[in-house]
Amino acid sequence: MIEVSKKCIGCNKCVPVCPFAAISMIDKKAVMNEACTLCGVCVQICPVQAITITREEASARDLSGHRGVWVYVELTETGEKTQVKKIKQVALELLGAGRRLADELGEDLCAVLLADKNHNYEKELGAYGADKVYMVEHDELFEYNTDIFSTVIVSLVTRHKPSIMLYGATIQGRDLAPRVASTLYVGLTADCTALAIKNGLLLQSRPAFGGNIMADILAPNSRPQMSTVRPNVMKMAEPVHGRSALVVRESAKLDPSLRRVKVLERMIAHDAGAVKIETAKVIVSGGRGMKTRERFRQLEELSKLLGGVVGASRAAVDLGFKDKTHQVGQSGTTVSPKLYLSFGISGAVQHIVGMKASDVIVAVNKDPNAPIFNVAKYGIVGDAHEIVPKLIEALKKGK
Ligand code: FAD
Ligand code: SF4
Ligand code: SF4
């Protein structure tokens, strides 16, 4: 139920922002009509907190009619209106996971794309498994903005009622998904590492208690059931070129007054290590077993010879061997290179969850019982301080 209290000063600010044209001004007071979906956008904009929404108990909600698996499609941010943005890989990974869920439920897989201009994105999204693309084109969508994007997503969800919605656990996804969840008053499971269907519900698995156990989470009273998944956790499906998705064009009523944050300047971080390890094909990673910063530096040389980048365990980061942006694992970056070389890393579960999707894992550890060997394709029981220089020498000779 939505109510406007006596505090209303008749400022009219709520009227243009309502995506459903549900507000009229009557006798200088805002009055909502039956088109209101309780999306909550007007509540955020009211300067005197005159609007309140009372929600019914989650268990009392009518969840019938929610159908479809949705994937939020994030585009690369350029900050330039004219530049063509690309679909981020995590969205394609989520389409692969979403396809399996949709097939099991017998529902459609839908991609949701918000942009100032469509650049035939539906071709790529269709090739990666989407049946439909909900496309919203609007000048105000030229760059990501929490208020603007969440307003559009909330109105789409309210209108079309998906049963599941997936977001990449990127900076943008981690900002957008909680905002949508709190506006719609539904749950959200962050950083899922596995998704499946159980009794018609989304089974969301994620590490809990410091990564020592896996928690399986169901949201029986939430629609859509919402999850974020980190990049590189789900494997991307093979694209089927020529398979295209049906485009559903949606209009958006976006008032510039919704935009409360304006980006004044963009700066590139000097050490963009995290970005590099996220997409690297070869990662040479070191842990506490490298013992000193000087010895750890040998991994830089090795990684350069292999055309890769350096990763680190949390212990190595804590010891100051490498910057946090290079940390692999639960509280670092999740990676899935073609080759992951690990030196002096024990293989704690928090490290493993961040690199186990790598194609080939080679581990060097002097302890034959180190858990890293459980996920390694090739294991060498030996001293990293002897093996690393030998590898460098061999690679140099081979060049
Ligand atoms: P250690 O566990 O101390 O292992 C060092 C290894 O080096 C040993 O196996 C030893 O046998 C081997 N070794 C020693 N000398 C040599 C040598 N000369 N040659 C070869 N091998 C040698 N960790 C992460 O990595 N990433 C994360 O994102 C992360 N997030 C966490 C989040 C939480 C909430 C918690 C509680 C922990 C997290 N951790 C994370 C920490 C994790 O639990 C481990 O403590 C950490 O991964 C250990 O790092 P390590 O393997 O380098 O060190
Ligand atoms: Fe409009 Fe949403 Fe406010 Fe309802 S809650 S009046 S739909 S903005
Ligand atoms: Fe009234 Fe608030 Fe709407 Fe202004 S924004 S008209 S104060 S309800």
Side-chain angles (χ1 to χ4, degrees), residues 93-111:
E93 293 165 5
L94 289 179
L95 284 175
R99 185 69 269 166
R100 287 189 294 279
L101 302 173
D103 287 345
E104 199 163 340
L105 289 167
E107 297 180 4
D108 278 345
L109 175 65
C110 309

Side-chain angles (χ1 to χ4, degrees), residues 288 291 313-314 327-331 346 350-351 365 383-384:
R288 197 198 309 270
K291 300 274 179 5
S313 71
R314 179 151 131 184
Q327 185 183 313
V328 173
Q330 188 188 319
S331 48
S346 59
Q350 296 90 353
H351 187 82
N365 196 303
D383 188 339

Side-chain angles (χ1 to χ4, degrees), residues 61-172:
R61 286 188 206 163
D62 176 15
L63 304 178
S64 61
H66 284 262
R67 282 183 72 77
V69 178
W70 282 21
V71 170
Y72 171 70
V73 177
E74 184 174 336
L75 299 175
T76 49
E77 282 286 305
T78 63
E80 301 290 329
K81 283 194 182 182
T82 48
Q83 258 172 320
V84 178
K85 294 162 191 150
K86 287 195 188 122
I87 294 171
K88 277 205 170 176
Q89 185 177 305
V90 67
L92 305 178
E93 293 165 5
L94 289 179
L95 284 175
R99 185 69 269 166
R100 287 189 294 279
L101 302 173
D103 287 345
E104 199 163 340
L105 289 167
E107 297 180 4
D108 278 345
L109 175 65
C110 309
V112 184
L113 196 137
L114 280 50
D116 53 344
K117 190 159 174 40
N118 178 20
H119 294 281
N120 288 327
Y121 295 117
E122 64 276 12
K123 282 194 181 154
E124 195 175 355
L125 297 169
Y128 280 91
D131 298 310
K132 263 188 213 168
V133 180
Y134 286 106
M135 176 88 63
V136 185
E137 271 180 88
H138 196 292
D139 282 351
E140 285 293 325
L141 300 169
F142 76 98
E143 68 175 2
Y144 176 72
N145 174 281
T146 318
D147 295 313
I148 300 273
F149 274 55
S150 63
T151 299
V152 177
I153 297 286
V154 165
S155 67
L156 289 177
V157 166
T158 317
R159 208 173 297 153
H160 296 285
K161 297 185 170 34
S163 62
I164 291 172
M165 182 147 190
L166 310 177
Y167 306 78
T170 56
I171 292 173
Q172 191 182 116

Side-chain angles (χ1 to χ4, degrees), residues 4 7-15 23 25 29-30 32 42 45-51:
V4 180
K7 285 198 250 172
C8 174
I9 51 171
C11 71
N12 203 43
K13 282 192 175 162
C14 55
V15 177
I23 313 176
M25 293 302 293
K29 194 182 168 195
M32 281 65 175
C42 59
I45 207 91
C46 177
V48 293
Q49 288 85 42
I51 310 170

